Amino acid sequence: MARKEINTDFWVKALLDQAGIELSAQGCNIREVEEALKTASKAGTGRQGYPEFCGLVRGDFLIVIEDKADIVQHLLQDATGGIDQGLSAVQGYAMNGALFYGLHLQRHTGYKKIFALGISGTEKRHRISPIFVREDGSYQILPELSTLISFSDQNIQEYYEREVLGQRTDGEKTTAEILREAQQLHEDLRNYGSIQDKDKPLIVSGILLALREMESGGFSIAMLTGDQQGRTDGQKLYDAIEANLRRARVAPQTKLELVLQQFTVIRDTKVINLVNTTLGKTPLRHFTEFIYDSIYMSIRYVQSAEDYVGRFYGEFMSYSGCDGQSLGIILTPKHITELFCQLARLQPTDTVLDPCCGTAGFLIAAMHHMLLQAENDTERKEIRQDRLHGIELQPHMFTIATTNMILRGDGKSNLINDDFFRQESDQLQLQGYSVGMMNPPYAQGSKQNPTLYEISFTEHLLDSICPGGRGLVILPQSSMTGKTREERAIKANILKKHTLEGVITLNRDTFYGVGTNPCIAIFTAGEPHNFKEKQCRFINFEDDGYRVAKHVGLVETSAAKDRQQYLLDVWEGRQTQYESRFCVETTIEAGDEWLHAFYYFNDEIPSEEDFRRTMADYLTFKFEMLAQGRGDLFADELKENRNG
């Protein structure tokens, strides 16, 4: 076997190891499969033939892999556009060989779920093409991948259901259900209560807190009888909210009073406290029953990083024709808050600050991530009570964040309702923050008020983190370009005190419907940037495996886990070879545009076909110009030819 192909085998084995997949090389440890391969010669002689790797995942998914050292040996198509199964094709091309073995095993074993993978190239430039072989001998070519994480024990069933069966995954169902429930609740709040848009999420939050009192016996839905002589339904809910806030030890008193003030809409709005003849009950009871069935059980008893209340808030704003942008409010999707935790290498011992916490999406994701790693109850208690801190300026958002953290089990005592810029950075630093995460208000800054530029928020966050801490910010790409003199000055000042690790350009639809092209900037706080030696990574992650689905919004595809794994492998240095169109590693200057597009250069070696096409285009252009009497364009070329 050629040395290049041996190197490819080693690289593919490394991919399998990274995904936690155990397959046999040049054979199979499963007797039925091994027997079938004894007659799997590609030459059709009936003698033995073995793929590079073969084996089972999760007991019933049979995986077969053929690899080639050069991408040009990836696929040879037949006259119909299918995968050629001729002798030279199956012997010389990765996908063709993989399909050959997949079809042979389909005919000679009892396995019904067979994935044949054609892999070609190197760590830096490669192609991974999965093929699903059906029971009837037909096959389905699936979208290309960058890693093998989709075929791990944890992911392969979901991958099969989504890509082969075309079914929606649990995540997609959850998204669709949230949208449907949010729309229903939005309509009910409007039809039965004429509730203002900003109050709708507060009613949801308040009812969730009241429902939590059921666990201590202080509240039940049956108590909501529409009584007008004694306590109204709104008063009963309000009392349950207050009891739960006190039970959660929300302090000091001024903070408790601030949060309670936001919930007076439940107590004081008359129309939702009166029995509605259509419903046969008060709208408040109707809302409470709906929220108990659709949201409460998910938040209380399902361990998830999903910010359900934040999702409802976002949907309420969209249905009302307002997306929060007038206040610069753009809530962060769950897959981004989870990505932040991974990029920050978040540990149970970290202390996290989100100074623009909104509905607490980052803090919920951080809590979930840290609790999964915690080793004992003491660590878990410390995470909830001491390691999650947030600041939020808007009182109603602050109340929603407080509710969110209480429902997740504490953490609420470290939320502050204040202006981040009123907090002195040196005083914040005394809190020992090792990680800062932030989605600052967008499009609020101006030359007259440069403090509100997104890059200004970034500087204040980094100044507030302990030296050596990690700061991660999602912000518009324009913030990285320095579009105004003030922003360029802030960028330069940041690098005097802090180190830029890199910037990741995100999918343009990350904030679907908002019209913002976002990126993630990652810094190390308190360490001045070394312009001569520091190599920053600039990554193009626009192809992140998420797409916009009609009437739903941004949804995850089967490629998302694969794309994210590849991103993390490159970011963490586990993948050291990559194409420059994905990642550029370089030194920087303060005045640069800190984006992949600024540093990118095309390092692909043109193929012979590229050369022919370029020459054909040039000769066509030259002929047209000469025909039009523009031979002067080629005077130097003609002169060189005569002299030659």
Side-chain angles (χ1 to χ4, degrees), residues 11-56:
W11 167 64
V12 173
K13 179 61 168 64
L15 284 179
L16 290 166
D17 291 342
Q18 288 171 11
I21 302 171
E22 294 186 13
L23 301 182
S24 301
Q26 295 294 320
C28 189
N29 58 7
I30 302 159
R31 179 174 296 179
E32 181 183 6
V33 176
E34 181 67 20
E35 286 298 315
L37 292 175
K38 287 181 179 179
T39 59
S41 168
K42 290 178 180 177
T45 62
R47 306 175 78 174
Q48 67 185 23
Y50 298 103
E52 267 70 49
F53 298 94
C54 187
L56 286 180

Side-chain angles (χ1 to χ4, degrees), residues 618-637:
Y618 171 72
L619 291 173
T620 300
F621 169 75
K622 184 176 180 180
F623 177 78
E624 290 176 351
M625 292 299 100
L626 290 172
Q628 296 174 26
R630 292 301 311 276
D632 57 297
L633 293 173
F634 310 96
D636 290 343
E637 180 182 332

Side-chain angles (χ1 to χ4, degrees), residues 267-320:
R267 183 192 64 193
D268 298 341
T269 304
K270 188 173 182 178
V271 67
I272 59 177
N273 279 278
L274 298 174
V275 174
N276 181 283
T277 54
T278 302
L279 295 172
K281 64 188 84 169
T282 65
L284 275 177
R285 174 156 182 167
H286 173 70
F287 301 153
T288 303
E289 290 171 341
F290 183 92
I291 289 169
Y292 178 80
D293 292 334
S294 63
I295 314 175
Y296 179 75
M297 302 302 286
S298 296
I299 294 179
R300 196 75 185 101
Y301 299 109
V302 177
Q303 295 299 314
S304 169
E306 181 69 74
D307 174 11
Y308 289 96
V309 179
R311 290 291 294 274
F312 269 67
Y313 176 88
E315 292 308 314
F316 288 157
M317 292 300 101
S318 67
Y319 291 129
S320 65

Side-chain angles (χ1 to χ4, degrees), residues 316-518:
F316 288 157
M317 292 300 101
S318 67
Y319 291 129
S320 65
C322 170
D323 56 14
Q325 289 185 74
S326 61
L327 297 173
I329 299 168
I330 301 176
L331 300 181
T332 314
K334 179 172 75 82
H335 71 282
I336 297 297
T337 62
E338 292 178 325
L339 179 60
F340 265 54
C341 296
Q342 293 171 302
L343 291 169
R345 298 188 289 276
L346 203 58
Q347 301 296 315
T349 53
D350 279 315
T351 302
V352 180
L353 170 66
D354 180 355
C356 303
C357 69
T359 61
F362 278 125
L363 297 178
I364 288 169
M367 176 189 285
H368 181 70
H369 193 86
M370 294 163 77
L371 288 175
L372 287 176
Q373 300 177 76
E375 296 181 354
N376 52 59
D377 289 341
T378 300
E379 251 188 7
R380 283 184 277 273
K381 184 177 180 180
E382 286 181 357
I383 290 167
R384 288 191 171 99
Q385 293 189 350
D386 302 324
R387 300 199 176 279
L388 301 162
H389 298 246
I391 302 171
E392 175 51 47
L393 176 62
Q394 303 292 334
H396 67 289
M397 298 287 275
F398 168 74
T399 300
I400 294 169
T402 300
T403 302
N404 247 340
M405 298 307 286
I406 290 173
L407 291 167
R408 301 288 172 154
D410 218 87
K412 80 287 156 187
S413 59
N414 299 316
L415 298 181
I416 301 171
N417 177 217
D418 206 347
D419 184 344
F420 176 37
F421 284 105
R422 291 184 56 185
Q423 308 290 315
E424 296 292 337
S425 57
D426 56 346
Q427 292 301 306
L428 287 172
Q429 205 176 77
L430 294 176
Q431 300 296 320
Y433 301 126
S434 56
V435 175
M437 300 180 177
M438 183 173 64
N439 179 2
Y442 289 1
Q444 301 296 293
S446 64
K447 292 182 179 180
Q448 291 71 35
N449 195 355
T451 302
L452 295 183
Y453 282 128
E454 298 91 346
I455 196 70
S456 182
F457 277 89
T458 302
E459 181 181 28
H460 196 44
L461 171 66
L462 296 172
D463 290 344
S464 304
I465 301 173
C466 287
R470 291 91 72 200
L472 298 87
V473 187
I474 182 169
L475 66 181
Q477 293 177 27
S478 58
S479 297
M480 298 288 94
T481 65
K483 58 185 182 296
T484 67
R485 182 176 61 185
E486 290 79 10
E487 289 174 287
R488 291 192 290 274
I490 295 170
K491 284 177 60 182
N493 203 45
I494 284 175
L495 296 184
K496 292 176 183 177
K497 300 171 288 182
H498 313 289
T499 293
L500 177 65
E501 298 294 338
V503 176
I504 300 170
T505 301
L506 297 176
N507 186 336
R508 294 173 183 270
D509 290 318
T510 298
F511 295 122
Y512 174 63
V514 174
T516 295
N517 296 329

